[in-house]
Amino acid sequence: RFETCWPALMKDSHGVIIIFNPELPSHLKEIEMWYSCFVQQQPLLDSQCLLVAHHKPGSAGDTENLSLAYPLNKLKLIHSNLEEDPEDVRMEFIKYFRSIITIINESREREEMSIIS
């Protein structure tokens, strides 16, 4: 229902984080649509996308056997359970944000060099 707002959300974005519940089969199908709209159509690099399979507290989520269809299986995937491993999730987000900052800085440097040349 908010699809008309998507272009404004995507404008000048440098990364996409898709959070989903891996226990809901409908979410596995929906993330393909989110990836297509927010990553492929921009276009962003796969390294600019992070998938977060969020497991609700008390769920017996299977973190080992989650199989995603192509092209989602190429993306960085982390499993989050904030009761069990909040520090691991925080560290993964920090690594992701650092990679986005690196991409932005490299792009800015290339742009500056092209202006100078």
Side-chain angles (χ1 to χ4, degrees):
R1 66 181 183 211
F2 296 110
E3 287 183 42
T4 57
C5 299
W6 290 0
L9 293 172
M10 291 186 276
K11 184 175 176 6
D12 298 328
S13 65
H14 298 285
V16 174
I17 299 172
I18 300 173
I19 302 171
F20 65 100
N21 182 342
E23 296 165 20
L24 295 176
S26 63
H27 279 203
L28 297 177
K29 202 68 180 152
E30 286 178 30
I31 60 174
E32 292 179 24
M33 183 264 311
W34 290 104
Y35 174 78
S36 173
C37 291
F38 283 86
V39 179
Q40 290 180 319
Q41 290 181 21
Q42 290 217 54
L44 292 176
L45 302 171
D46 286 342
S47 61
Q48 292 171 274
C49 182
L50 176 66
L51 294 179
V52 180
H54 181 69
H55 301 275
K56 292 183 179 181
S59 69
D62 185 2
T63 61
E64 298 299 320
N65 294 320
L66 179 61
S67 61
L68 299 173
Y70 179 85
L72 299 174
N73 60 358
K74 303 182 307 176
L75 304 176
K76 171 75 174 167
L77 169 68
I78 65 170
H79 292 269
S80 71
N81 182 325
L82 299 180
E83 280 188 343
E84 294 178 16
D85 59 1
E87 187 61 24
D88 289 346
V89 174
R90 188 174 81 78
M91 293 308 295
E92 288 295 336
F93 272 101
I94 289 171
K95 282 195 286 189
Y96 170 73
F97 289 124
R98 283 184 180 153
S99 72
I100 295 298
I101 290 169
T102 300
I103 289 169
I104 292 169
N105 287 338
E106 289 172 352
S107 175
R108 186 173 297 137
E109 287 174 14
R110 279 193 304 274
E111 186 177 331
E112 290 171 358
M113 290 305 291
S114 70
I115 291 171
I116 292 171
S117 301

